Amino acid sequence: MAAAQGQRSDGAGEMDGAQGMVADTAPPPFRAAVDALREARLRPQVEIDPTRPPQRLAPFAYALEAAVVEDDEDLADGRLVLLHDPAGHEAWKGTFRLVTLVRAELEPEMAADPLLPEVCWSWLTGALQARGLSCGEPSGTVTRAGSHYFGGLAERPPASQIEIRASWTPREGAGGVPDAGAHLAAWCDLLCQVAGLPPAGPADGSVVTLPQRRGPRLS
């Protein structure tokens, strides 16, 4: 995966990106939230690494990229970004914001389900609720797309993809620090559900998972 970098998004305070370090000048709540991300215990099928965060979305940002891998096959991938503005942000209604992208390939019959976008969005909110996490000011999109191949690629079967883009404001606890580790674990639950893996805990008959899909990880 890409090299790591945790830093002020304007470039100030940059440290060793290869180690995913955060500048000592970053506010203590942000450093504590990043530490919680690093210490989170995740499912063994999730491979995760720090990566370069987007620039200029907030004074401070930290990003992770992840893939769900089983039997040497990438089933889904995504990115989670932690944003922090110590002065607060009117649209966030808080000082932290989580931004995510999740992608996976689908079986064609699942992609044709008209309720798929609503179901995928419920997976996100359900993953947060299952871990007792409150979600402020949620917003996002669910996009499905199909690809058909021609010419030199005509032998490849049609492919369908799902993409979830979302953001939400985590509730801040003591010292203004959100439970970033729990939010990361919930996000990984979503990633595994989109990948078609069974729940990590006792099965819940109300949860619907996608069938495991063919093909390589999305580029």
Side-chain angles (χ1 to χ4, degrees):
M1 289 185 177
Q5 194 156 5
Q7 58 178 31
R8 285 187 64 101
S9 60
D10 60 5
E14 181 176 348
M15 296 185 70
D16 183 0
Q19 300 299 319
M21 298 178 68
V22 175
D24 291 337
T25 55
F30 179 70
R31 296 202 307 269
V34 171
D35 287 343
L37 291 176
R38 293 169 174 163
E39 295 167 2
R41 299 184 63 180
L42 308 175
R43 292 180 64 168
Q45 297 93 339
V46 178
E47 297 182 357
I48 194 164
D49 283 302
T51 188
R52 184 178 179 84
Q55 304 296 294
R56 305 190 185 283
L57 291 181
F60 299 90
Y62 190 82
L64 296 166
E65 61 180 9
V68 178
V69 181
E70 190 169 61
D71 298 329
D72 296 324
E73 181 181 4
D74 287 7
L75 302 177
D77 67 89
R79 173 177 293 201
L80 183 70
V81 181
L82 176 70
L83 303 176
H84 179 53
D85 187 341
H89 195 291
E90 182 178 357
W92 303 351
K93 292 183 169 50
T95 63
F96 282 91
R97 188 76 170 172
L98 286 161
V99 181
T100 182
L101 165 67
V102 171
R103 303 177 297 183
E105 293 193 14
L106 301 174
E107 296 294 339
E109 59 272 18
M110 180 63 72
D113 187 341
L115 296 179
L116 181 65
E118 289 80 4
V119 169
C120 288
W121 185 255
S122 73
W123 289 346
L124 169 61
T125 57
L128 295 168
Q129 293 168 1
R131 291 185 178 269
L133 298 170
S134 62
C135 175
E137 305 302 316
S139 63
T141 62
V142 177
T143 304
R144 52 184 167 187
S147 299
H148 296 263
Y149 301 94
F150 303 92
L153 300 176
E155 293 184 358
R156 296 181 61 177
S160 300
Q161 299 85 30
I162 190 74
E163 179 180 277
I164 304 171
R165 293 180 181 268
S167 64
W168 65 92
T169 299
R171 182 178 60 189
E172 298 171 14
V177 182
D179 192 350
H183 281 269
L184 173 59
W187 178 73
C188 288
D189 291 342
L190 168 68
L191 198 64
C192 289
Q193 193 165 15
V194 171
L197 299 186
D204 181 348
S206 67
V207 174
V208 179
T209 57
L210 293 175
Q212 293 189 14
R213 56 206 47 81
R214 306 181 301 268
R217 176 182 174 186
L218 298 176
S219 59

